[in-house]
Amino acid sequence: MKTLDVVIVGGGMITNDLLLPSVYHLQRTGYVNNIKVCALDSAPLKALKNSKEISEAFPGQDFEAFPPLSEPEDKKFPDLYQEVIASMKPRQMVVVAMPDHLHYPVVIDALKNNQHVLCVKPLVLKYEQAAEIEKIAFEKGLFVGVEYHKRFDRRSLVAKRSYELNQFGEFVMGEAKLVEPYLYRYSNFQNWFTCDRTDPFVYIGCHYVDLVYFITGLKPVEVSVSGVKGKFPNGNEGYLWANGRVRFENNAILSVIDGLGYPDQAAGSNEQNLQMFFEGDNKTGMLKHNDQFRGVEHSYLEGIGCGGSFFNYVSPDFYRLVPWEGNGFKPIGYGPDSVSASITMACQIETEVQDLSLPDSLAKRQEMIRNVDKKGIIATPANSYINELVVEAARISILNDGEIVDIKYGENPHVKLRPKK
Ligand SMILES: NC(=O)c1ccc[n+]([C@@H]2O[C@H](COP(=O)([O-])OP(=O)(O)OC[C@H]3O[C@@H](n4cnc5c(N)ncnc54)[C@H](O)[C@@H]3O)[C@@H](O)[C@H]2O)c1
Protein backbone atom coordinates (compact mmCIF):
# COMPACT_ATOMS: atom_id res chain seq x y z
CA MET A 1 0.00 0.00 0.00
CA LYS A 2 1.29 3.47 -0.89
CA THR A 3 1.84 5.56 2.25
CA LEU A 4 0.86 9.23 2.37
CA ASP A 5 2.20 12.23 4.26
CA VAL A 6 -0.52 13.89 6.32
CA VAL A 7 -0.88 17.56 7.27
CA ILE A 8 -3.60 18.30 9.83
CA VAL A 9 -4.67 21.96 9.76
CA GLY A 10 -6.19 22.81 13.15
CA GLY A 11 -4.97 21.47 16.48
CA GLY A 12 -8.11 21.79 18.62
CA MET A 13 -10.54 19.46 20.29
CA ILE A 14 -11.37 17.23 17.32
CA THR A 15 -7.65 16.84 16.49
CA ASN A 16 -6.93 15.82 20.06
CA ASP A 17 -10.00 13.63 20.54
CA LEU A 18 -10.06 11.81 17.21
CA LEU A 19 -7.92 12.90 14.28
CA LEU A 20 -4.35 12.78 15.55
CA PRO A 21 -4.79 9.44 17.37
CA SER A 22 -6.47 7.95 14.27
CA VAL A 23 -3.68 9.25 12.02
CA TYR A 24 -1.00 7.96 14.42
CA HIS A 25 -2.62 4.54 14.31
CA LEU A 26 -2.63 4.63 10.51
CA GLN A 27 1.03 5.57 10.65
CA ARG A 28 1.97 2.53 12.70
CA THR A 29 -0.21 0.24 10.59
CA GLY A 30 1.49 1.34 7.37
CA TYR A 31 -0.78 3.90 5.66
CA VAL A 32 0.64 7.21 6.82
CA ASN A 33 4.19 8.44 6.50
CA ASN A 34 5.16 11.84 7.90
CA ILE A 35 2.71 13.86 10.07
CA LYS A 36 2.57 17.66 10.46
CA VAL A 37 0.04 19.64 12.48
CA CYS A 38 -0.53 23.33 11.80
CA ALA A 39 -2.52 25.55 14.17
CA LEU A 40 -3.20 29.25 14.57
CA ASP A 41 -0.64 29.49 17.37
CA SER A 42 1.63 27.22 19.39
CA ALA A 43 -0.73 26.70 22.37
CA PRO A 44 -2.84 23.79 21.03
CA LEU A 45 0.27 22.17 19.55
CA LYS A 46 1.92 22.18 22.97
CA ALA A 47 -1.21 20.61 24.44
CA LEU A 48 -1.14 17.85 21.80
CA LYS A 49 2.56 17.17 22.35
CA ASN A 50 2.11 17.12 26.14
CA SER A 51 -0.99 14.95 26.11
CA LYS A 52 -0.24 12.02 28.42
CA GLU A 53 -3.08 10.02 26.91
CA ILE A 54 -1.76 10.40 23.36
CA SER A 55 1.89 9.76 24.21
CA GLU A 56 1.02 6.63 26.22
CA ALA A 57 -1.10 5.32 23.36
CA PHE A 58 1.47 6.00 20.65
CA PRO A 59 4.93 5.59 22.18
CA GLY A 60 7.73 6.87 19.98
CA GLN A 61 5.40 8.61 17.53
CA ASP A 62 5.51 12.35 16.96
CA PHE A 63 4.41 15.15 14.63
CA GLU A 64 6.11 18.27 13.34
CA ALA A 65 4.48 21.42 14.77
CA PHE A 66 3.70 24.57 12.77
CA PRO A 67 4.33 27.12 14.23
CA PRO A 68 7.16 25.62 16.29
CA LEU A 69 6.53 25.30 20.01
CA SER A 70 9.22 27.91 20.68
CA GLU A 71 6.91 30.64 19.31
CA PRO A 72 5.04 32.63 21.99
CA GLU A 73 1.46 31.45 22.45
CA ASP A 74 -0.01 34.87 21.72
CA LYS A 75 1.68 35.16 18.30
CA LYS A 76 -0.82 34.22 15.57
CA PHE A 77 -0.02 32.52 12.26
CA PRO A 78 -3.28 32.66 10.27
CA ASP A 79 -1.62 32.01 6.88
CA LEU A 80 1.09 29.53 7.87
CA TYR A 81 -1.03 26.59 6.68
CA GLN A 82 -0.54 27.85 3.11
CA GLU A 83 3.24 27.47 3.35
CA VAL A 84 2.94 24.07 5.01
CA ILE A 85 0.58 22.78 2.31
CA ALA A 86 2.67 24.31 -0.49
CA SER A 87 5.72 22.41 0.78
CA MET A 88 4.02 18.99 0.48
CA LYS A 89 4.80 16.44 -2.22
CA PRO A 90 1.87 16.18 -4.67
CA ARG A 91 -1.12 13.93 -3.89
CA GLN A 92 -0.60 13.47 -0.17
CA MET A 93 -3.38 14.21 2.36
CA VAL A 94 -4.55 17.40 4.05
CA VAL A 95 -6.89 16.96 7.01
CA VAL A 96 -8.95 20.09 7.62
CA ALA A 97 -9.91 20.56 11.29
CA MET A 98 -10.42 24.22 11.95
CA PRO A 99 -13.58 26.20 12.72
CA ASP A 100 -16.42 25.68 10.23
CA HIS A 101 -16.15 29.03 8.44
CA LEU A 102 -12.45 28.42 7.63
CA HIS A 103 -12.88 25.04 5.90
CA TYR A 104 -13.49 26.51 2.44
CA PRO A 105 -10.21 28.45 1.96
CA VAL A 106 -8.13 25.58 3.36
CA VAL A 107 -9.82 22.88 1.24
CA ILE A 108 -9.41 25.03 -1.89
CA ASP A 109 -5.79 25.70 -1.04
CA ALA A 110 -5.15 21.97 -0.54
CA LEU A 111 -6.76 21.12 -3.90
CA LYS A 112 -4.83 23.88 -5.70
CA ASN A 113 -1.67 22.33 -4.26
CA ASN A 114 -2.72 18.94 -5.60
CA GLN A 115 -3.59 17.27 -2.30
CA HIS A 116 -6.24 14.74 -1.32
CA VAL A 117 -8.46 16.06 1.48
CA LEU A 118 -10.30 14.85 4.54
CA CYS A 119 -12.45 17.62 6.00
CA VAL A 120 -14.37 17.51 9.27
CA LYS A 121 -18.06 18.23 8.88
CA PRO A 122 -19.63 20.45 7.68
CA LEU A 123 -17.47 20.53 4.55
CA VAL A 124 -18.43 24.16 3.87
CA LEU A 125 -21.30 26.48 4.69
CA LYS A 126 -22.55 27.12 1.12
CA TYR A 127 -23.71 24.75 -1.61
CA GLU A 128 -21.86 26.68 -4.32
CA GLN A 129 -18.60 26.15 -2.46
CA ALA A 130 -19.27 22.39 -2.18
CA ALA A 131 -20.01 22.23 -5.93
CA GLU A 132 -16.81 24.16 -6.67
CA ILE A 133 -14.79 21.80 -4.46
CA GLU A 134 -16.32 18.77 -6.15
CA LYS A 135 -15.51 20.16 -9.62
CA ILE A 136 -11.88 21.11 -8.88
CA ALA A 137 -11.22 17.81 -7.07
CA PHE A 138 -12.73 15.70 -9.84
CA GLU A 139 -10.88 17.56 -12.61
CA LYS A 140 -7.59 16.97 -10.80
CA GLY A 141 -8.42 13.42 -9.70
CA LEU A 142 -8.19 14.29 -6.00
CA PHE A 143 -10.23 12.52 -3.35
CA VAL A 144 -12.24 14.61 -0.88
CA GLY A 145 -13.85 12.83 2.08
CA VAL A 146 -16.09 14.55 4.62
CA GLU A 147 -15.85 13.23 8.16
CA TYR A 148 -19.53 12.43 8.89
CA HIS A 149 -18.53 9.68 11.30
CA LYS A 150 -22.06 8.77 12.37
CA ARG A 151 -22.34 7.04 9.00
CA PHE A 152 -19.78 4.52 10.31
CA ASP A 153 -21.66 3.72 13.50
CA ARG A 154 -22.69 0.09 13.04
CA ARG A 155 -26.30 0.89 13.95
CA SER A 156 -26.46 3.41 11.06
CA LEU A 157 -25.05 0.87 8.62
CA VAL A 158 -27.54 -1.76 9.84
CA ALA A 159 -30.40 0.75 9.52
CA LYS A 160 -29.33 1.73 6.00
CA ARG A 161 -29.32 -1.90 4.90
CA SER A 162 -32.69 -2.59 6.54
CA TYR A 163 -34.23 0.50 4.92
CA GLU A 164 -32.89 -0.54 1.53
CA LEU A 165 -34.43 -4.00 2.05
CA ASN A 166 -37.75 -2.25 2.85
CA GLN A 167 -37.89 -3.86 6.30
CA PHE A 168 -39.22 -0.64 7.91
CA GLY A 169 -41.46 0.92 5.26
CA GLU A 170 -41.15 4.53 4.11
CA PHE A 171 -39.79 7.18 6.48
CA VAL A 172 -42.55 9.52 7.65
CA MET A 173 -41.72 11.15 11.02
CA GLY A 174 -38.57 11.40 13.11
CA GLU A 175 -36.97 13.09 16.05
CA ALA A 176 -33.28 13.54 16.84
CA LYS A 177 -31.32 15.20 19.63
CA LEU A 178 -27.71 16.14 20.03
CA VAL A 179 -26.89 18.34 22.99
CA GLU A 180 -23.21 18.86 23.77
CA PRO A 181 -21.90 19.49 27.32
CA TYR A 182 -22.22 22.86 29.02
CA LEU A 183 -18.42 22.97 29.38
CA TYR A 184 -18.10 23.59 25.63
CA ARG A 185 -19.09 27.17 26.43
CA TYR A 186 -15.74 27.61 28.22
CA SER A 187 -13.66 26.23 25.35
CA ASN A 188 -12.27 27.96 22.26
CA PHE A 189 -15.87 27.78 20.98
CA GLN A 190 -16.56 31.12 22.63
CA ASN A 191 -14.24 32.74 20.11
CA TRP A 192 -15.95 31.47 16.95
CA PHE A 193 -19.38 30.02 17.79
CA THR A 194 -21.07 33.40 17.40
CA CYS A 195 -24.57 34.11 16.04
CA ASP A 196 -23.26 35.44 12.72
CA ARG A 197 -21.18 32.32 11.98
CA THR A 198 -22.85 29.16 13.20
CA ASP A 199 -25.36 27.64 15.60
CA PRO A 200 -25.99 24.28 17.30
CA PHE A 201 -28.14 22.98 14.42
CA VAL A 202 -25.42 23.70 11.86
CA TYR A 203 -22.69 22.46 14.18
CA ILE A 204 -24.18 19.12 15.26
CA GLY A 205 -27.77 18.85 14.03
CA CYS A 206 -26.34 18.33 10.56
CA HIS A 207 -25.06 14.91 11.73
CA TYR A 208 -28.61 13.63 12.12
CA VAL A 209 -29.92 15.24 8.93
CA ASP A 210 -27.05 13.55 7.09
CA LEU A 211 -27.84 10.29 8.87
CA VAL A 212 -31.52 10.30 7.86
CA TYR A 213 -30.42 11.02 4.28
CA PHE A 214 -27.78 8.26 4.56
CA ILE A 215 -30.34 5.72 5.81
CA THR A 216 -33.25 6.64 3.53
CA GLY A 217 -31.70 8.37 0.51
CA LEU A 218 -34.45 11.02 0.81
CA LYS A 219 -33.46 14.60 0.06
CA PRO A 220 -34.42 17.47 2.40
CA VAL A 221 -36.57 20.10 0.70
CA GLU A 222 -37.58 22.50 3.48
CA VAL A 223 -35.77 23.73 6.61
CA SER A 224 -36.85 25.87 9.52
CA VAL A 225 -34.59 26.52 12.53
CA SER A 226 -35.30 28.61 15.62
CA GLY A 227 -32.56 29.50 18.07
CA VAL A 228 -32.16 30.68 21.63
CA LYS A 229 -29.33 33.15 22.13
CA GLY A 230 -27.08 33.42 25.16
CA LYS A 231 -23.69 34.75 26.23
CA PHE A 232 -20.43 32.83 26.32
CA PRO A 233 -18.18 33.46 29.36
CA ASN A 234 -16.09 35.94 27.29
CA GLY A 235 -19.23 37.98 26.50
CA ASN A 236 -19.65 36.84 22.88
CA GLU A 237 -23.23 36.15 21.91
CA GLY A 238 -24.09 32.82 20.32
CA TYR A 239 -27.08 30.64 19.67
CA LEU A 240 -26.69 28.20 22.55
CA TRP A 241 -29.80 26.19 21.65
CA ALA A 242 -31.57 25.42 18.38
CA ASN A 243 -34.63 23.55 17.22
CA GLY A 244 -34.80 22.56 13.56
CA ARG A 245 -37.51 21.03 11.42
CA VAL A 246 -36.58 19.43 8.12
CA ARG A 247 -39.11 18.23 5.56
CA PHE A 248 -37.95 15.61 3.07
CA GLU A 249 -38.91 15.15 -0.58
CA ASN A 250 -41.59 12.52 0.30
CA ASN A 251 -43.12 14.95 2.83
CA ALA A 252 -41.56 13.20 5.87
CA ILE A 253 -40.50 15.44 8.76
CA LEU A 254 -37.47 15.28 11.05
CA SER A 255 -37.35 17.45 14.16
CA VAL A 256 -33.90 18.11 15.65
CA ILE A 257 -33.00 19.62 19.05
CA ASP A 258 -29.42 20.79 19.61
CA GLY A 259 -27.55 22.81 22.17
CA LEU A 260 -24.40 23.48 24.13
CA GLY A 261 -25.92 22.69 27.48
CA TYR A 262 -25.97 19.07 28.57
CA PRO A 263 -25.29 19.30 32.34
CA ASP A 264 -21.60 18.78 33.16
CA GLN A 265 -22.61 16.95 36.33
CA ALA A 266 -24.81 14.46 34.45
CA ALA A 267 -23.79 10.99 33.29
CA GLY A 268 -23.74 11.99 29.55
CA SER A 269 -21.28 12.90 28.34
CA ASN A 270 -23.88 14.47 26.05
CA GLU A 271 -27.44 13.71 24.94
CA GLN A 272 -28.00 12.11 21.58
CA ASN A 273 -30.61 9.90 20.00
CA LEU A 274 -32.68 9.25 16.90
CA GLN A 275 -36.15 7.84 16.49
CA MET A 276 -37.77 7.32 13.11
CA PHE A 277 -41.26 6.12 12.19
CA PHE A 278 -42.11 4.55 8.85
CA GLU A 279 -45.34 3.83 6.97
CA GLY A 280 -45.87 0.29 5.65
CA ASP A 281 -48.92 -1.56 4.25
CA ASN A 282 -51.53 -1.38 7.00
CA LYS A 283 -48.78 -1.11 9.64
CA THR A 284 -45.90 1.06 10.63
CA GLY A 285 -42.20 0.46 11.23
CA MET A 286 -39.84 2.17 13.66
CA LEU A 287 -36.23 2.49 14.61
CA LYS A 288 -34.92 3.95 17.85
CA HIS A 289 -31.25 4.56 18.50
CA ASN A 290 -30.13 5.62 21.95
CA ASP A 291 -26.80 7.09 20.93
CA GLN A 292 -26.00 8.32 24.42
CA PHE A 293 -26.52 5.37 26.74
CA ARG A 294 -25.03 2.39 25.00
CA GLY A 295 -25.44 0.01 27.92
CA VAL A 296 -22.16 0.75 29.70
CA GLU A 297 -22.09 2.47 33.10
CA HIS A 298 -18.91 3.40 34.99
CA SER A 299 -18.68 4.88 38.43
CA TYR A 300 -15.16 6.19 39.13
CA LEU A 301 -13.29 6.82 42.37
CA GLU A 302 -12.32 10.29 41.14
CA GLY A 303 -14.32 12.78 39.06
CA ILE A 304 -12.62 11.85 35.79
CA GLY A 305 -15.80 11.87 33.69
CA CYS A 306 -16.65 14.61 31.24
CA GLY A 307 -17.22 17.78 33.31
CA GLY A 308 -15.69 16.16 36.40
CA SER A 309 -18.54 13.69 36.95
CA PHE A 310 -18.05 10.41 38.84
CA PHE A 311 -20.86 8.32 37.34
CA ASN A 312 -20.82 8.04 33.56
CA TYR A 313 -22.58 6.43 30.63
CA VAL A 314 -19.57 5.36 28.64
CA SER A 315 -19.80 4.92 24.90
CA PRO A 316 -17.36 2.29 23.67
CA ASP A 317 -18.63 2.97 20.16
CA PHE A 318 -17.37 6.41 19.04
CA TYR A 319 -13.78 6.68 20.19
CA ARG A 320 -11.80 4.87 22.88
CA LEU A 321 -8.17 3.98 23.34
CA VAL A 322 -7.97 0.30 24.25
CA PRO A 323 -5.28 -2.35 24.71
CA TRP A 324 -4.31 -4.23 21.58
CA GLU A 325 -1.61 -6.64 20.44
CA GLY A 326 0.83 -3.86 19.54
CA ASN A 327 2.58 -1.16 21.60
CA GLY A 328 0.56 1.44 23.46
CA PHE A 329 -3.19 1.61 22.90
CA LYS A 330 -5.37 1.44 19.84
CA PRO A 331 -8.13 3.91 18.87
CA ILE A 332 -11.40 2.06 18.24
CA GLY A 333 -14.89 3.14 17.26
CA TYR A 334 -16.81 4.65 14.42
CA GLY A 335 -14.75 7.87 14.65
CA PRO A 336 -11.43 6.18 13.86
CA ASP A 337 -13.25 3.93 11.34
CA SER A 338 -14.48 7.01 9.52
CA VAL A 339 -11.09 8.76 9.49
CA SER A 340 -9.46 5.55 8.38
CA ALA A 341 -11.99 5.01 5.56
CA SER A 342 -11.05 8.31 3.90
CA ILE A 343 -7.30 8.14 4.44
CA THR A 344 -7.00 4.52 3.34
CA MET A 345 -9.20 5.31 0.32
CA ALA A 346 -6.67 7.97 -0.75
CA CYS A 347 -3.87 5.41 -0.17
CA GLN A 348 -5.78 2.84 -2.22
CA ILE A 349 -6.26 5.32 -5.06
CA GLU A 350 -2.56 6.21 -5.07
CA THR A 351 -1.58 2.52 -4.90
CA GLU A 352 -3.74 1.71 -7.94
CA VAL A 353 -2.22 4.46 -10.07
CA GLN A 354 1.42 4.34 -9.07
CA ASP A 355 2.56 2.61 -12.27
CA LEU A 356 0.23 4.44 -14.67
CA SER A 357 0.99 7.25 -17.12
CA LEU A 358 -0.35 10.67 -16.09
CA PRO A 359 -3.48 10.55 -18.33
CA ASP A 360 -4.25 6.94 -17.31
CA SER A 361 -3.66 7.81 -13.67
CA LEU A 362 -6.11 10.72 -13.87
CA ALA A 363 -8.76 8.57 -15.56
CA LYS A 364 -8.34 5.81 -12.97
CA ARG A 365 -8.46 8.24 -10.05
CA GLN A 366 -11.62 9.83 -11.44
CA GLU A 367 -13.22 6.41 -11.86
CA MET A 368 -12.38 5.46 -8.27
CA ILE A 369 -13.70 8.77 -6.94
CA ARG A 370 -17.00 8.30 -8.81
CA ASN A 371 -17.30 4.79 -7.34
CA VAL A 372 -16.94 6.18 -3.80
CA ASP A 373 -19.54 8.87 -4.62
CA LYS A 374 -21.95 6.23 -5.91
CA LYS A 375 -21.41 3.82 -3.04
CA GLY A 376 -22.49 6.60 -0.65
CA ILE A 377 -20.76 5.27 2.48
CA ILE A 378 -17.90 7.76 2.81
CA ALA A 379 -19.41 11.25 2.58
CA THR A 380 -18.03 13.16 -0.42
CA PRO A 381 -18.95 16.54 -1.90
CA ALA A 382 -20.93 14.70 -4.61
CA ASN A 383 -22.94 12.43 -2.31
CA SER A 384 -23.37 14.70 0.72
CA TYR A 385 -24.03 18.11 -0.88
CA ILE A 386 -27.54 18.07 0.60
CA ASN A 387 -25.81 18.97 3.87
CA GLU A 388 -24.48 22.24 2.46
CA LEU A 389 -27.97 23.08 1.20
CA VAL A 390 -29.44 22.27 4.62
CA VAL A 391 -26.74 24.28 6.42
CA GLU A 392 -27.22 27.23 4.08
CA ALA A 393 -30.99 27.09 4.51
CA ALA A 394 -30.63 26.72 8.28
CA ARG A 395 -28.44 29.81 8.61
CA ILE A 396 -30.97 31.90 6.70
CA SER A 397 -33.84 30.46 8.71
CA ILE A 398 -32.30 30.98 12.17
CA LEU A 399 -31.32 34.55 11.30
CA ASN A 400 -34.95 35.12 10.20
CA ASP A 401 -36.53 33.84 13.42
CA GLY A 402 -37.32 30.37 12.09
CA GLU A 403 -38.94 31.29 8.76
CA ILE A 404 -39.15 28.39 6.29
CA VAL A 405 -36.39 28.14 3.69
CA ASP A 406 -36.99 25.94 0.63
CA ILE A 407 -34.32 23.83 -1.03
CA LYS A 408 -34.62 23.57 -4.81
CA TYR A 409 -32.84 20.82 -6.71
CA GLY A 410 -32.33 20.35 -10.48
CA GLU A 411 -29.64 21.93 -12.68
CA ASN A 412 -28.85 24.64 -10.20
CA PRO A 413 -29.59 23.57 -6.61
CA HIS A 414 -30.21 26.54 -4.33
CA VAL A 415 -32.08 27.68 -1.22
CA LYS A 416 -34.77 30.34 -1.01
CA LEU A 417 -36.44 32.06 1.92
CA ARG A 418 -40.16 31.36 1.51
CA PRO A 419 -42.04 34.66 1.13
CA LYS A 420 -44.43 35.41 3.98
CA LYS A 421 -48.11 34.88 3.04
N1 LIG B 1 -18.72 15.46 15.77
C1 LIG B 1 -17.94 15.99 14.84
O1 LIG B 1 -17.92 15.60 13.68
C2 LIG B 1 -17.08 17.12 15.25
C3 LIG B 1 -16.78 17.29 16.58
C4 LIG B 1 -16.02 18.38 16.95
C5 LIG B 1 -15.59 19.26 15.97
N2 LIG B 1 -15.90 19.07 14.68
C6 LIG B 1 -15.50 20.06 13.67
O2 LIG B 1 -14.10 20.24 13.73
C7 LIG B 1 -13.78 21.61 13.48
C8 LIG B 1 -12.87 22.12 14.57
O3 LIG B 1 -13.54 21.96 15.78
P1 LIG B 1 -12.75 21.87 17.16
O4 LIG B 1 -13.75 21.45 18.16
O5 LIG B 1 -11.50 21.10 17.04
O6 LIG B 1 -12.44 23.43 17.37
P2 LIG B 1 -11.35 24.12 18.29
O7 LIG B 1 -11.84 25.50 18.44
O8 LIG B 1 -11.06 23.30 19.48
O9 LIG B 1 -10.03 24.10 17.38
C9 LIG B 1 -9.88 24.87 16.23
C10 LIG B 1 -8.43 24.82 15.80
O10 LIG B 1 -8.28 25.53 14.57
C11 LIG B 1 -7.06 26.20 14.62
N3 LIG B 1 -7.05 27.32 13.69
C12 LIG B 1 -7.88 28.40 13.65
N4 LIG B 1 -7.49 29.23 12.66
C13 LIG B 1 -6.42 28.66 12.07
C14 LIG B 1 -5.57 29.03 11.00
N5 LIG B 1 -5.76 30.16 10.33
N6 LIG B 1 -4.56 28.20 10.66
C15 LIG B 1 -4.36 27.04 11.33
N7 LIG B 1 -5.13 26.63 12.36
C16 LIG B 1 -6.15 27.44 12.71
C17 LIG B 1 -6.92 26.66 16.07
O11 LIG B 1 -5.54 26.89 16.38
C18 LIG B 1 -7.47 25.46 16.80
O12 LIG B 1 -6.43 24.56 17.08
C19 LIG B 1 -15.09 22.34 13.34
O13 LIG B 1 -15.40 22.47 11.97
C20 LIG B 1 -16.09 21.42 13.98
O14 LIG B 1 -17.39 21.55 13.41
C21 LIG B 1 -16.61 18.00 14.29
Side-chain angles (χ1 to χ4, degrees):
M1 188 63 77
K2 193 127 198 292
T3 56
L4 299 181
D5 291 340
V6 170
V7 167
I8 303 177
V9 185
M13 185 180 67
I14 193 77
T15 300
N16 180 74
D17 292 0
L18 173 64
L19 298 171
L20 183 60
S22 302
V23 171
Y24 270 156
H25 190 64
L26 290 166
Q27 187 180 45
R28 67 182 169 191
T29 49
Y31 294 94
V32 166
N33 195 20
N34 175 289
I35 302 169
K36 294 176 178 168
V37 183
C38 178
L40 184 59
D41 50 60
S42 63
L45 301 168
K46 270 184 207 158
L48 289 172
K49 291 255 188 198
N50 294 336
S51 160
K52 197 162 164 276
E53 189 180 79
I54 293 182
S55 51
E56 280 175 0
F58 306 96
Q61 292 183 252
D62 203 358
F63 66 85
E64 211 180 327
F66 294 86
L69 303 196
S70 51
E71 291 291 348
E73 292 187 4
D74 57 358
K75 189 167 168 198
K76 306 291 172 199
F77 295 82
D79 301 322
L80 181 60
Y81 73 85
Q82 295 172 0
E83 273 173 49
V84 179
I85 292 175
S87 72
M88 295 171 79
K89 285 186 284 179
R91 303 216 308 268
Q92 307 300 303
M93 187 106 201
V94 173
V95 178
V96 181
M98 44 209 322
D100 298 358
H101 63 284
L102 296 174
H103 295 177
Y104 173 71
V106 186
V107 173
I108 291 288
D109 197 60
L111 294 175
K112 289 203 167 140
N113 282 282
N114 234 349
Q115 301 301 327
H116 299 292
V117 173
L118 169 61
C119 185
V120 294
K121 62 83 227 167
L123 174 62
V124 282
L125 298 172
K126 295 238 178 288
Y127 166 75
E128 270 186 9
Q129 296 174 340
E132 182 191 353
I133 288 169
E134 190 212 331
K135 186 165 177 288
I136 299 176
F138 186 73
E139 279 170 6
K140 300 183 95 170
L142 298 169
F143 174 73
V144 178
V146 192
E147 215 278 286
Y148 277 102
H149 43 239
K150 282 193 176 296
R151 290 183 174 205
F152 286 81
D153 192 340
R154 288 179 181 180
R155 59 190 61 186
S156 313
L157 292 160
V158 170
K160 180 177 174 61
R161 175 111 174 96
S162 286
Y163 192 84
E164 281 166 6
L165 292 171
N166 199 26
Q167 291 171 346
F168 296 128
E170 183 180 347
F171 172 51
V172 63
M173 189 62 60
E175 186 176 44
K177 260 186 229 116
L178 214 172
V179 180
E180 295 289 18
Y182 186 89
L183 56 87
Y184 273 33
R185 299 186 192 184
Y186 284 90
S187 74
N188 187 36
F189 272 53
Q190 53 189 321
N191 296 319
W192 62 275
F193 205 94
T194 44
C195 294
D196 55 320
R197 286 182 170 156
T198 189
D199 56 76
F201 178 87
V202 162
Y203 174 59
I204 37 178
C206 64
H207 269 303
Y208 277 110
V209 179
D210 180 69
L211 208 51
V212 168
Y213 169 66
F214 178 69
I215 293 168
T216 65
L218 293 165
K219 291 196 185 101
V221 294
E222 182 186 303
V223 176
S224 153
V225 183
S226 300
V228 178
K229 292 179 187 172
K231 288 255 163 71
F232 282 102
N234 68 356
N236 280 344
E237 190 174 52
Y239 288 106
L240 300 182
W241 299 92
N243 173 262
R245 193 172 69 174
V246 179
R247 190 183 287 277
F248 288 80
E249 59 186 322
N250 69 337
N251 243 352
I253 293 174
L254 174 73
S255 156
V256 192
I257 289 176
D258 301 293
L260 304 182
Y262 183 80
D264 291 344
Q265 300 76 12
S269 57
N270 58 16
E271 174 64 69
Q272 48 177 322
N273 48 58
L274 170 68
Q275 184 165 23
M276 296 169 74
F277 292 93
F278 308 86
E279 288 282 348
D281 275 346
N282 284 320
K283 51 188 123 163
T284 50
M286 183 189 83
L287 76 72
K288 192 169 181 179
H289 292 175
N290 186 343
D291 295 335
Q292 179 209 35
F293 179 54
R294 291 171 184 249
V296 184
E297 299 173 28
H298 285 184
S299 193
Y300 303 111
L301 294 177
E302 307 292 337
I304 57 168
C306 181
S309 54
F310 287 73
F311 176 74
N312 269 224
Y313 295 148
V314 173
S315 165
D317 296 346
F318 168 53
Y319 168 82
R320 289 279 148 184
L321 290 166
V322 297
W324 71 311
E325 299 77 16
N327 284 337
F329 299 94
K330 168 183 164 171
I332 56 154
Y334 59 85
D337 286 352
S338 165
V339 174
S340 168
S342 278
I343 295 182
T344 59
M345 180 53 67
C347 294
Q348 218 173 303
I349 290 172
E350 287 304 326
T351 305
E352 287 277 329
V353 302
Q354 58 188 337
D355 298 323
L356 300 184
S357 67
L358 220 53
D360 287 352
S361 160
L362 178 62
K364 184 71 191 168
R365 282 182 278 133
Q366 289 178 328
E367 180 196 320
M368 291 179 80
I369 289 165
R370 279 290 176 254
N371 285 343
V372 181
D373 292 340
K374 238 185 271 144
K375 194 100 194 170
I377 306 296
I378 299 176
T380 64
N383 74 25
S384 75
Y385 69 94
I386 61 110
N387 290 309
E388 273 67 42
L389 289 163
V390 169
V391 159
E392 208 175 319
R395 290 302 302 154
I396 296 174
S397 178
I398 201 166
L399 293 170
N400 283 278
D401 292 328
E403 291 293 325
I404 292 174
V405 178
D406 290 305
I407 301 177
K408 304 284 182 197
Y409 292 92
E411 284 259 304
N412 173 29
H414 62 280
V415 305
K416 200 163 185 278
L417 182 64
R418 190 179 292 180
K420 279 188 190 150
K421 288 216 172 100

